Amino acid sequence: MLQQANRLKKRKEFGYIYRNGTALYSKDLVVMYTTNKFKRTKFGFAVSNKVGKAYVRNIVKRRLRAIVRLNMASVVSSRNYVIIARPTIASCTYEDVEQQLLQLLSKVQ
């Protein structure tokens, strides 16, 4: 589980990133990010109903959180990220998701 201080939770925070953020795309994921004035990196996850039923969405969110938690040291700090899952992610393996997410996060400058 991500630490409380590293999570985006408020609708206002997500909305700001959607409006002002920069987006990076892959087959199954979209990563949007903006800079912030704090030294902390924050992550939010968006998995829509199009991905599947609740248990599928929860599995996807757990995978994404685990990947982020295990790779926090390699992520550019002082940014807020929103990771958006596309509907095709439900059929991907953990390794596929990890590869795509790490590739997108490495493109952030």
Side-chain angles (χ1 to χ4, degrees):
M1 184 64 99
L2 279 175
Q3 292 180 356
Q4 184 79 21
N6 292 341
R7 290 187 230 164
L8 289 175
K9 293 172 79 175
K10 296 182 180 175
R11 183 179 177 95
K12 186 191 274 188
E13 295 171 327
F14 278 85
Y16 180 80
I17 294 171
Y18 289 145
R19 284 190 310 276
N20 302 318
T22 305
L24 299 170
Y25 303 92
S26 74
K27 180 181 153 216
D28 302 310
L29 292 170
V30 177
V31 173
M32 297 189 77
Y33 64 93
T34 60
T35 58
N36 65 22
K37 58 185 173 184
F38 306 109
K39 298 292 183 199
R40 212 168 262 287
T41 302
K42 291 188 172 190
F43 285 89
F45 302 94
V47 183
S48 75
N49 289 337
K50 293 178 185 178
V51 172
K53 295 193 177 211
Y55 71 93
V56 175
R57 295 192 308 268
N58 289 335
I59 289 170
V60 170
K61 284 187 274 188
R62 282 189 204 118
R63 286 179 179 176
L64 292 172
R65 283 190 208 114
I67 294 166
V68 167
R69 182 176 42 83
L70 294 173
N71 297 289
M72 278 291 270
S74 64
V75 176
V76 177
S77 62
S78 298
R79 299 201 193 270
N80 291 340
Y81 296 90
V82 173
I83 300 169
I84 304 165
R86 291 184 169 174
T88 55
I89 200 167
S91 61
C92 292
T93 64
Y94 178 87
E95 290 78 20
D96 293 339
V97 175
E98 182 178 31
Q99 180 185 7
Q100 287 183 44
L101 184 55
L102 293 179
Q103 185 179 20
L104 289 174
L105 291 176
S106 69
K107 291 181 182 179
V108 176
Q109 299 177 16

